[in-house]
CSV table of all heavy atoms in Angstrom, one decimal:
chain,number,residue,atom,x,y,z
O,1,VAL,N,73.1,39.5,218.5
O,1,VAL,CA,74.6,39.4,218.4
O,1,VAL,C,74.9,38.9,217.0
O,1,VAL,O,74.4,38.0,216.5
O,1,VAL,CB,75.1,38.5,219.5
O,1,VAL,CG1,76.6,38.3,219.3
O,1,VAL,CG2,74.8,39.0,220.9
O,2,GLY,N,75.8,39.6,216.4
O,2,GLY,CA,76.2,39.3,215.0
O,2,GLY,C,77.3,38.3,214.9
O,2,GLY,O,77.7,37.7,215.9
O,3,PRO,N,77.7,38.0,213.7
O,3,PRO,CA,78.7,37.0,213.5
O,3,PRO,C,80.1,37.3,214.2
O,3,PRO,O,80.8,36.4,214.4
O,3,PRO,CB,78.9,37.0,211.9
O,3,PRO,CG,78.2,38.1,211.4
O,3,PRO,CD,77.3,38.7,212.5
O,4,ALA,N,80.4,38.5,214.5
O,4,ALA,CA,81.6,38.9,215.2
O,4,ALA,C,81.5,38.7,216.7
O,4,ALA,O,82.4,39.0,217.4
O,4,ALA,CB,82.1,40.3,214.8
O,5,GLY,N,80.3,38.3,217.1
O,5,GLY,CA,80.1,38.0,218.5
O,5,GLY,C,79.7,39.2,219.3
O,5,GLY,O,79.8,39.2,220.6
O,6,LYS,N,79.3,40.3,218.7
O,6,LYS,CA,78.9,41.5,219.4
O,6,LYS,C,77.7,42.1,218.8
O,6,LYS,O,77.4,42.0,217.6
O,6,LYS,CB,80.1,42.5,219.5
O,6,LYS,CG,80.9,42.7,218.4
O,6,LYS,CD,82.1,43.6,218.6
O,6,LYS,CE,82.8,43.8,217.3
O,6,LYS,NZ,84.1,43.6,217.2
O,7,SER,N,77.0,42.9,219.6
O,7,SER,CA,75.8,43.5,219.2
O,7,SER,C,76.1,44.8,218.4
O,7,SER,O,77.3,45.3,218.5
O,7,SER,CB,74.9,43.9,220.3
O,7,SER,OG,75.5,44.9,221.1
O,8,VAL,N,75.2,45.3,217.6
O,8,VAL,CA,75.4,46.6,216.9
O,8,VAL,C,75.7,47.7,217.9
O,8,VAL,O,76.5,48.5,217.7
O,8,VAL,CB,74.2,46.9,216.0
O,8,VAL,CG1,74.4,48.2,215.3
O,8,VAL,CG2,74.0,45.8,215.0
O,9,LEU,N,75.0,47.6,219.1
O,9,LEU,CA,75.2,48.7,220.1
O,9,LEU,C,76.6,48.6,220.6
O,9,LEU,O,77.3,49.6,220.8
O,9,LEU,CB,74.2,48.5,221.2
O,9,LEU,CG,74.3,49.6,222.3
O,9,LEU,CD1,74.0,51.0,221.8
O,9,LEU,CD2,73.2,49.2,223.4
O,10,VAL,N,77.1,47.4,220.9
O,10,VAL,CA,78.5,47.3,221.4
O,10,VAL,C,79.5,47.8,220.3
O,10,VAL,O,80.5,48.5,220.6
O,10,VAL,CB,78.8,45.8,221.9
O,10,VAL,CG1,80.3,45.6,222.0
O,10,VAL,CG2,78.1,45.5,223.2
O,11,SER,N,79.2,47.4,219.1
O,11,SER,CA,80.1,47.8,218.0
O,11,SER,C,80.1,49.4,217.9
O,11,SER,O,81.2,49.9,217.6
O,11,SER,CB,79.6,47.2,216.7
O,11,SER,OG,79.7,45.8,216.7
O,12,ALA,N,78.9,50.0,218.0
O,12,ALA,CA,78.9,51.5,218.0
O,12,ALA,C,79.6,52.1,219.1
O,12,ALA,O,80.3,53.1,219.0
O,12,ALA,CB,77.4,51.9,218.0
O,13,ALA,N,79.6,51.5,220.3
O,13,ALA,CA,80.3,52.0,221.5
O,13,ALA,C,81.8,51.8,221.2
O,13,ALA,O,82.6,52.7,221.5
O,13,ALA,CB,79.9,51.3,222.7
O,14,ILE,N,82.2,50.7,220.7
O,14,ILE,CA,83.6,50.5,220.4
O,14,ILE,C,84.1,51.5,219.4
O,14,ILE,O,85.2,52.0,219.5
O,14,ILE,CB,83.9,49.0,219.9
O,14,ILE,CG1,83.7,48.0,221.0
O,14,ILE,CG2,85.3,48.9,219.3
O,14,ILE,CD1,83.7,46.6,220.6
O,15,ALA,N,83.3,51.8,218.4
O,15,ALA,CA,83.7,52.7,217.3
O,15,ALA,C,83.6,54.2,217.8
O,15,ALA,O,83.9,55.1,217.1
O,15,ALA,CB,82.8,52.5,216.1
O,16,ASN,N,83.1,54.4,219.1
O,16,ASN,CA,83.0,55.7,219.7
O,16,ASN,C,82.0,56.6,218.8
O,16,ASN,O,82.4,57.7,218.5
O,16,ASN,CB,84.3,56.4,219.8
O,16,ASN,CG,84.3,57.5,220.8
O,16,ASN,OD1,83.4,57.5,221.7
O,16,ASN,ND2,85.2,58.4,220.7
O,17,LEU,N,80.8,56.0,218.6
O,17,LEU,CA,79.8,56.7,217.8
O,17,LEU,C,78.6,57.0,218.7
O,17,LEU,O,77.6,56.3,218.6
O,17,LEU,CB,79.4,55.9,216.6
O,17,LEU,CG,80.5,55.6,215.6
O,17,LEU,CD1,80.0,54.5,214.6
O,17,LEU,CD2,81.0,56.8,214.9
O,18,PRO,N,78.7,58.0,219.5
O,18,PRO,CA,77.6,58.3,220.5
O,18,PRO,C,76.2,58.5,219.8
O,18,PRO,O,75.2,58.1,220.4
O,18,PRO,CB,78.0,59.5,221.3
O,18,PRO,CG,79.1,60.1,220.5
O,18,PRO,CD,79.7,59.0,219.7
O,19,TYR,N,76.2,59.2,218.7
O,19,TYR,CA,74.9,59.4,218.0
O,19,TYR,C,74.3,58.1,217.5
O,19,TYR,O,73.1,58.0,217.5
O,19,TYR,CB,75.1,60.4,216.8
O,19,TYR,CG,76.2,60.0,215.8
O,19,TYR,CD1,75.9,59.3,214.7
O,19,TYR,CD2,77.5,60.4,216.1
O,19,TYR,CE1,76.9,58.9,213.8
O,19,TYR,CE2,78.5,60.0,215.2
O,19,TYR,CZ,78.2,59.3,214.1
O,19,TYR,OH,79.2,58.9,213.2
O,20,VAL,N,75.1,57.2,217.1
O,20,VAL,CA,74.6,55.8,216.7
O,20,VAL,C,74.1,55.1,218.0
O,20,VAL,O,73.0,54.5,218.0
O,20,VAL,CB,75.6,55.0,216.0
O,20,VAL,CG1,75.1,53.6,215.6
O,20,VAL,CG2,76.0,55.7,214.7
O,21,VAL,N,74.8,55.2,219.1
O,21,VAL,CA,74.4,54.6,220.3
O,21,VAL,C,73.1,55.1,220.7
O,21,VAL,O,72.2,54.3,221.1
O,21,VAL,CB,75.5,54.8,221.4
O,21,VAL,CG1,75.0,54.4,222.8
O,21,VAL,CG2,76.8,54.0,221.1
O,22,GLU,N,72.9,56.4,220.7
O,22,GLU,CA,71.6,57.0,221.1
O,22,GLU,C,70.5,56.6,220.2
O,22,GLU,O,69.4,56.2,220.7
O,22,GLU,CB,71.8,58.6,221.0
O,22,GLU,CG,70.6,59.3,221.5
O,22,GLU,CD,70.8,60.8,221.6
O,22,GLU,OE1,71.7,61.3,221.0
O,22,GLU,OE2,70.0,61.4,222.3
O,23,MET,N,70.7,56.5,218.9
O,23,MET,CA,69.7,56.0,218.0
O,23,MET,C,69.3,54.6,218.3
O,23,MET,O,68.1,54.3,218.3
O,23,MET,CB,70.1,56.2,216.5
O,23,MET,CG,69.1,55.7,215.5
O,23,MET,SD,69.7,55.5,213.9
O,23,MET,CE,70.8,54.1,214.2
O,24,LEU,N,70.3,53.7,218.5
O,24,LEU,CA,70.0,52.3,218.7
O,24,LEU,C,69.2,52.2,220.0
O,24,LEU,O,68.3,51.4,220.1
O,24,LEU,CB,71.3,51.5,218.8
O,24,LEU,CG,72.0,51.4,217.5
O,24,LEU,CD1,73.4,50.9,217.7
O,24,LEU,CD2,71.2,50.5,216.5
O,25,LEU,N,69.6,53.0,221.1
O,25,LEU,CA,68.8,52.9,222.3
O,25,LEU,C,67.4,53.4,222.1
O,25,LEU,O,66.5,52.8,222.7
O,25,LEU,CB,69.5,53.7,223.4
O,25,LEU,CG,70.9,53.2,223.9
O,25,LEU,CD1,71.6,54.3,224.7
O,25,LEU,CD2,70.7,51.9,224.6
O,26,GLU,N,67.2,54.4,221.3
O,26,GLU,CA,65.8,54.9,221.1
O,26,GLU,C,65.0,53.8,220.4
O,26,GLU,O,63.8,53.8,220.6
O,26,GLU,CB,65.9,56.2,220.2
O,26,GLU,CG,66.4,57.4,221.0
O,26,GLU,CD,66.5,58.6,220.1
O,26,GLU,OE1,66.2,58.5,218.9
O,26,GLU,OE2,67.0,59.6,220.6
O,27,TYR,N,65.6,53.0,219.6
O,27,TYR,CA,64.9,51.9,218.9
O,27,TYR,C,64.9,50.6,219.7
O,27,TYR,O,64.5,49.6,219.1
O,27,TYR,CB,65.5,51.7,217.5
O,27,TYR,CG,65.0,52.7,216.5
O,27,TYR,CD1,65.8,53.8,216.3
O,27,TYR,CD2,63.8,52.5,215.8
O,27,TYR,CE1,65.3,54.8,215.4
O,27,TYR,CE2,63.4,53.5,214.9
O,27,TYR,CZ,64.1,54.6,214.7
O,27,TYR,OH,63.7,55.6,213.8
O,28,GLY,N,65.3,50.7,220.9
O,28,GLY,CA,65.1,49.5,221.8
O,28,GLY,C,66.3,48.6,222.0
O,28,GLY,O,66.1,47.5,222.5
O,29,ALA,N,67.5,49.0,221.6
O,29,ALA,CA,68.7,48.1,221.8
O,29,ALA,C,68.9,47.9,223.3
O,29,ALA,O,68.7,48.8,224.1
O,29,ALA,CB,69.9,48.8,221.1
O,30,ASP,N,69.3,46.7,223.6
O,30,ASP,CA,69.5,46.4,225.0
O,30,ASP,C,71.0,46.7,225.4
O,30,ASP,O,71.9,46.0,224.9
O,30,ASP,CB,69.3,44.9,225.2
O,30,ASP,CG,69.4,44.4,226.7
O,30,ASP,OD1,69.9,45.2,227.5
O,30,ASP,OD2,69.1,43.2,226.9
O,31,PRO,N,71.2,47.7,226.2
O,31,PRO,CA,72.6,48.0,226.6
O,31,PRO,C,73.3,47.0,227.5
O,31,PRO,O,74.5,47.0,227.7
O,31,PRO,CB,72.4,49.4,227.3
O,31,PRO,CG,71.1,49.4,227.9
O,31,PRO,CD,70.2,48.6,226.9
O,32,ASN,N,72.5,46.1,228.0
O,32,ASN,CA,73.0,45.0,228.9
O,32,ASN,C,73.4,43.8,228.1
O,32,ASN,O,74.0,42.8,228.7
O,32,ASN,CB,72.0,44.7,230.0
O,32,ASN,CG,71.7,45.9,230.9
O,32,ASN,OD1,72.6,46.5,231.4
O,32,ASN,ND2,70.5,46.3,230.9
O,33,LEU,N,73.1,43.7,226.9
O,33,LEU,CA,73.5,42.5,226.1
O,33,LEU,C,75.0,42.4,225.9
O,33,LEU,O,75.7,43.4,225.6
O,33,LEU,CB,72.8,42.6,224.7
O,33,LEU,CG,73.0,41.4,223.8
O,33,LEU,CD1,72.2,40.2,224.4
O,33,LEU,CD2,72.4,41.8,222.4
O,34,LYS,N,75.5,41.2,226.3
O,34,LYS,CA,77.0,41.0,226.3
O,34,LYS,C,77.5,40.4,225.0
O,34,LYS,O,76.8,39.6,224.4
O,34,LYS,CB,77.4,40.2,227.5
O,34,LYS,CG,77.1,40.9,228.8
O,34,LYS,CD,77.7,40.1,230.0
O,34,LYS,CE,77.4,40.8,231.3
O,34,LYS,NZ,77.8,42.1,231.5
O,35,SER,N,78.7,40.8,224.7
O,35,SER,CA,79.4,40.2,223.5
O,35,SER,C,79.9,38.8,223.9
O,35,SER,O,79.9,38.4,225.1
O,35,SER,CB,80.5,41.1,223.1
O,35,SER,OG,81.6,41.0,224.0
O,36,GLN,N,80.5,38.1,223.0
O,36,GLN,CA,81.0,36.8,223.3
O,36,GLN,C,82.2,36.9,224.2
O,36,GLN,O,82.6,35.9,224.9
O,36,GLN,CB,81.5,36.1,222.0
O,36,GLN,CG,82.6,36.7,221.3
O,36,GLN,CD,82.9,36.0,220.0
O,36,GLN,OE1,82.2,35.2,219.5
O,36,GLN,NE2,84.1,36.2,219.5
O,37,HIS,N,82.8,38.1,224.4
O,37,HIS,CA,83.9,38.4,225.3
O,37,HIS,C,83.4,38.9,226.6
O,37,HIS,O,84.3,39.3,227.5
O,37,HIS,CB,84.9,39.3,224.7
O,37,HIS,CG,85.5,38.8,223.4
O,37,HIS,ND1,86.3,37.8,223.3
O,37,HIS,CD2,85.3,39.2,222.1
O,37,HIS,CE1,86.6,37.5,222.0
O,37,HIS,NE2,86.0,38.4,221.3
O,38,GLY,N,82.1,39.0,226.8
O,38,GLY,CA,81.6,39.5,228.1
O,38,GLY,C,81.4,41.0,228.2
O,38,GLY,O,81.1,41.5,229.3
O,39,TRP,N,81.6,41.7,227.1
O,39,TRP,CA,81.5,43.2,227.1
O,39,TRP,C,80.1,43.6,226.8
O,39,TRP,O,79.4,43.0,226.0
O,39,TRP,CB,82.3,43.8,226.1
O,39,TRP,CG,83.8,43.6,226.1
O,39,TRP,CD1,84.6,43.3,227.3
O,39,TRP,CD2,84.7,43.6,225.1
O,39,TRP,NE1,85.9,43.2,226.9
O,39,TRP,CE2,86.0,43.3,225.6
O,39,TRP,CE3,84.6,43.8,223.7
O,39,TRP,CZ2,87.1,43.3,224.8
O,39,TRP,CZ3,85.7,43.7,222.9
O,39,TRP,CH2,87.0,43.5,223.4
O,40,ASP,N,79.6,44.6,227.5
O,40,ASP,CA,78.3,45.2,227.2
O,40,ASP,C,78.6,46.7,226.9
O,40,ASP,O,79.8,47.1,227.0
O,40,ASP,CB,77.3,45.0,228.3
O,40,ASP,CG,77.6,45.6,229.6
O,40,ASP,OD1,78.5,46.5,229.7
O,40,ASP,OD2,77.0,45.3,230.6
O,41,ALA,N,77.6,47.4,226.5
O,41,ALA,CA,77.9,48.8,226.1
O,41,ALA,C,78.4,49.6,227.3
O,41,ALA,O,79.2,50.5,227.1
O,41,ALA,CB,76.6,49.5,225.6
O,42,PHE,N,78.0,49.3,228.5
O,42,PHE,CA,78.5,50.0,229.7
O,42,PHE,C,79.9,49.8,229.9
O,42,PHE,O,80.7,50.7,230.3
O,42,PHE,CB,77.7,49.6,230.9
O,42,PHE,CG,76.2,50.1,230.9
O,42,PHE,CD1,75.2,49.2,230.6
O,42,PHE,CD2,75.9,51.4,231.1
O,42,PHE,CE1,73.9,49.6,230.6
O,42,PHE,CE2,74.6,51.8,231.0
O,42,PHE,CZ,73.6,50.9,230.8
O,43,SER,N,80.4,48.6,229.7
O,43,SER,CA,81.8,48.3,229.9
O,43,SER,C,82.7,49.0,228.9
O,43,SER,O,83.8,49.5,229.2
O,43,SER,CB,82.1,46.8,230.0
O,43,SER,OG,81.7,46.1,228.8
O,44,ILE,N,82.2,49.1,227.7
O,44,ILE,CA,82.9,49.8,226.6
O,44,ILE,C,82.9,51.3,226.9
O,44,ILE,O,84.0,51.9,226.7
O,44,ILE,CB,82.2,49.5,225.2
O,44,ILE,CG1,82.1,48.1,224.9
O,44,ILE,CG2,83.0,50.3,224.1
O,44,ILE,CD1,83.4,47.3,224.8
O,45,ALA,N,81.9,51.8,227.5
O,45,ALA,CA,81.8,53.2,227.8
O,45,ALA,C,82.8,53.7,228.8
O,45,ALA,O,83.1,54.8,228.9
O,45,ALA,CB,80.4,53.6,228.3
O,46,ARG,N,83.4,52.7,229.5
O,46,ARG,CA,84.4,53.1,230.5
O,46,ARG,C,85.8,53.1,229.9
O,46,ARG,O,86.8,53.5,230.5
O,46,ARG,CB,84.4,52.1,231.7
O,46,ARG,CG,83.2,52.2,232.6
O,46,ARG,CD,83.3,51.4,233.9
O,46,ARG,NE,83.2,50.0,233.6
O,46,ARG,CZ,82.0,49.3,233.6
O,46,ARG,NH1,80.9,50.0,233.7
O,46,ARG,NH2,82.0,48.0,233.4
O,47,TRP,N,85.9,52.7,228.6
O,47,TRP,CA,87.2,52.8,228.0
O,47,TRP,C,87.6,54.2,227.8
O,47,TRP,O,86.8,55.1,227.7
O,47,TRP,CB,87.1,52.1,226.6
O,47,TRP,CG,87.0,50.7,226.6
O,47,TRP,CD1,86.8,49.8,227.6
O,47,TRP,CD2,87.0,49.8,225.4
O,47,TRP,NE1,86.7,48.5,227.2
O,47,TRP,CE2,86.8,48.5,225.8
O,47,TRP,CE3,87.1,50.1,224.0
O,47,TRP,CZ2,86.8,47.5,224.9
O,47,TRP,CZ3,87.1,49.1,223.1
O,47,TRP,CH2,86.9,47.7,223.6
O,48,PRO,N,88.9,54.5,227.6
O,48,PRO,CA,89.4,55.9,227.4
O,48,PRO,C,88.7,56.4,226.1
O,48,PRO,O,88.4,55.7,225.2
O,48,PRO,CB,90.9,55.7,227.2
O,48,PRO,CG,91.2,54.5,227.9
O,48,PRO,CD,90.0,53.6,227.8
O,49,GLN,N,88.5,57.7,226.1
O,49,GLN,CA,87.9,58.4,225.0
O,49,GLN,C,86.5,58.1,224.6
O,49,GLN,O,86.0,58.3,223.5
O,49,GLN,CB,88.8,58.2,223.7
O,49,GLN,CG,90.3,58.5,223.9
O,49,GLN,CD,90.5,60.0,224.3
O,49,GLN,OE1,89.9,60.9,223.8
O,49,GLN,NE2,91.5,60.2,225.3
O,50,ARG,N,85.8,57.5,225.6
O,50,ARG,CA,84.4,57.1,225.3
O,50,ARG,C,83.4,58.0,226.2
O,50,ARG,O,82.3,57.5,226.5
O,50,ARG,CB,84.1,55.7,225.6
O,50,ARG,CG,84.9,54.7,224.8
O,50,ARG,CD,84.7,54.9,223.3
O,50,ARG,NE,85.3,53.8,222.4
O,50,ARG,CZ,86.5,53.8,222.1
O,50,ARG,NH1,87.4,54.7,222.5
O,50,ARG,NH2,87.0,52.9,221.3
O,51,THR,N,83.8,59.2,226.6
O,51,THR,CA,83.0,60.0,227.5
O,51,THR,C,81.6,60.3,226.9
O,51,THR,O,80.6,60.3,227.7
O,51,THR,CB,83.7,61.3,228.0
O,51,THR,OG1,84.1,62.0,226.8
O,51,THR,CG2,84.9,60.9,228.8
O,52,GLU,N,81.5,60.6,225.7
O,52,GLU,CA,80.2,60.9,225.0
O,52,GLU,C,79.3,59.7,225.0
O,52,GLU,O,78.1,59.8,225.2
O,52,GLU,CB,80.4,61.5,223.7
O,52,GLU,CG,81.1,62.9,223.7
O,52,GLU,CD,80.3,63.9,224.5
O,52,GLU,OE1,79.1,64.0,224.4
O,52,GLU,OE2,81.0,64.6,225.3
O,53,VAL,N,79.9,58.5,224.7
O,53,VAL,CA,79.1,57.3,224.7
O,53,VAL,C,78.6,57.0,226.1
O,53,VAL,O,77.4,56.7,226.3
O,53,VAL,CB,80.0,56.1,224.2
O,53,VAL,CG1,79.3,54.7,224.5
O,53,VAL,CG2,80.3,56.2,222.8
O,54,LYS,N,79.4,57.2,227.1
O,54,LYS,CA,79.0,57.1,228.5
O,54,LYS,C,77.9,58.0,228.9
O,54,LYS,O,76.9,57.6,229.5
O,54,LYS,CB,80.2,57.3,229.5
O,54,LYS,CG,79.8,57.0,230.9
O,54,LYS,CD,81.0,57.0,231.8
O,54,LYS,CE,80.8,56.7,233.2
O,54,LYS,NZ,79.5,57.0,233.8
O,55,LYS,N,78.0,59.3,228.5
O,55,LYS,CA,76.9,60.2,228.7
O,55,LYS,C,75.6,59.8,228.1
O,55,LYS,O,74.5,59.9,228.8
O,55,LYS,CB,77.3,61.6,228.2
O,55,LYS,CG,78.3,62.3,229.0
O,55,LYS,CD,78.6,63.7,228.3
O,55,LYS,CE,79.8,64.3,229.0
O,55,LYS,NZ,80.2,65.6,228.3
O,56,VAL,N,75.6,59.3,226.9
O,56,VAL,CA,74.4,58.8,226.2
O,56,VAL,C,73.8,57.6,227.0
O,56,VAL,O,72.6,57.6,227.3
O,56,VAL,CB,74.7,58.4,224.8
O,56,VAL,CG1,73.5,57.7,224.2
O,56,VAL,CG2,75.0,59.6,223.9
O,57,LEU,N,74.6,56.7,227.4
O,57,LEU,CA,74.1,55.5,228.1
O,57,LEU,C,73.6,55.9,229.5
O,57,LEU,O,72.5,55.4,229.9
O,57,LEU,CB,75.2,54.5,228.3
O,57,LEU,CG,75.6,53.7,227.1
O,57,LEU,CD1,76.9,53.0,227.2
O,57,LEU,CD2,74.5,52.7,226.7
O,58,ASP,N,74.3,56.8,230.2
O,58,ASP,CA,73.8,57.3,231.5
O,58,ASP,C,72.5,58.0,231.4
O,58,ASP,O,71.5,57.8,232.2
O,58,ASP,CB,74.8,58.2,232.2
O,58,ASP,CG,76.1,57.5,232.6
O,58,ASP,OD1,76.0,56.2,232.7
O,58,ASP,OD2,77.1,58.2,232.9
O,59,SER,N,72.3,58.8,230.4
O,59,SER,CA,71.1,59.6,230.1
O,59,SER,C,70.0,58.6,229.8
O,59,SER,O,68.8,58.8,230.4
O,59,SER,CB,71.3,60.6,229.0
O,59,SER,OG,70.1,61.2,228.7
O,60,HIS,N,70.2,57.6,229.0
O,60,HIS,CA,69.2,56.6,228.7
O,60,HIS,C,68.8,55.9,229.9
O,60,HIS,O,67.6,55.6,230.1
O,60,HIS,CB,69.7,55.7,227.6
O,60,HIS,CG,68.8,54.6,227.3
O,60,HIS,ND1,67.7,54.7,226.5
O,60,HIS,CD2,68.8,53.3,227.7
O,60,HIS,CE1,67.0,53.6,226.4
O,60,HIS,NE2,67.7,52.7,227.1
O,61,THR,N,69.7,55.5,230.7
O,61,THR,CA,69.4,54.7,231.9
O,61,THR,C,68.6,55.5,232.9
O,61,THR,O,67.6,55.0,233.4
O,61,THR,CB,70.7,54.2,232.6
O,61,THR,OG1,71.5,53.5,231.7
O,61,THR,CG2,70.5,53.4,233.8
O,62,LYS,N,68.9,56.8,233.0
O,62,LYS,CA,68.1,57.6,233.9
O,62,LYS,C,66.7,57.8,233.4
O,62,LYS,O,65.8,57.8,234.2
O,62,LYS,CB,68.8,59.0,234.1
O,62,LYS,CG,70.1,58.9,234.9
O,62,LYS,CD,70.7,60.3,235.0
O,62,LYS,CE,72.1,60.1,235.7
O,62,LYS,NZ,72.8,61.4,235.6
O,63,SER,N,66.6,58.0,232.1
O,63,SER,CA,65.2,58.2,231.5
O,63,SER,C,64.4,57.0,231.7
O,63,SER,O,63.1,57.0,231.7
O,63,SER,CB,65.3,58.7,230.1
O,63,SER,OG,65.7,57.6,229.2
O,64,GLN,N,65.0,55.8,231.7
O,64,GLN,CA,64.2,54.6,231.8
O,64,GLN,C,63.7,54.3,233.2
O,64,GLN,O,62.8,53.6,233.4
O,64,GLN,CB,65.1,53.4,231.4
O,64,GLN,CG,65.5,53.4,229.9
O,64,GLN,CD,64.3,53.3,229.0
O,64,GLN,OE1,63.5,52.4,229.1
O,64,GLN,NE2,64.2,54.2,228.1
O,65,LYS,N,64.3,55.0,234.2
O,65,LYS,CA,63.9,54.8,235.6
O,65,LYS,C,62.9,55.8,236.0
O,65,LYS,O,62.3,55.7,237.1
O,65,LYS,CB,65.2,55.0,236.5
O,65,LYS,CG,66.1,53.8,236.3
O,65,LYS,CD,67.3,54.0,237.3
O,65,LYS,CE,68.3,52.9,237.1
O,65,LYS,NZ,69.5,53.0,237.9
O,66,LEU,N,62.6,56.8,235.2
O,66,LEU,CA,61.5,57.8,235.5
O,66,LEU,C,60.2,57.1,235.5
O,66,LEU,O,59.9,56.3,234.6
O,66,LEU,CB,61.6,59.0,234.6
O,66,LEU,CG,62.9,59.8,234.7
O,66,LEU,CD1,62.8,60.9,233.6
O,66,LEU,CD2,63.0,60.4,236.0
O,67,PRO,N,59.3,57.5,236.4
O,67,PRO,CA,57.9,56.9,236.5
O,67,PRO,C,57.1,57.4,235.3
O,67,PRO,O,57.2,58.3,234.7
O,67,PRO,CB,57.3,57.5,237.8
O,67,PRO,CG,58.2,58.6,238.2
O,67,PRO,CD,59.5,58.5,237.5
């Protein structure tokens, strides 16, 4: 979590940058890490106009559950 109280992943989700979200997840970013306001990447993905961010997070979550 950076000085603004949010992770780079949360910042990328807020900025609606799905390609950055995907890259950060590939490098091990934790989508469950909460900001100082209690937001995580999943909560941001439910905001309007964040459908691509949500798709990336959903795809990552599904791939993590595969055996």
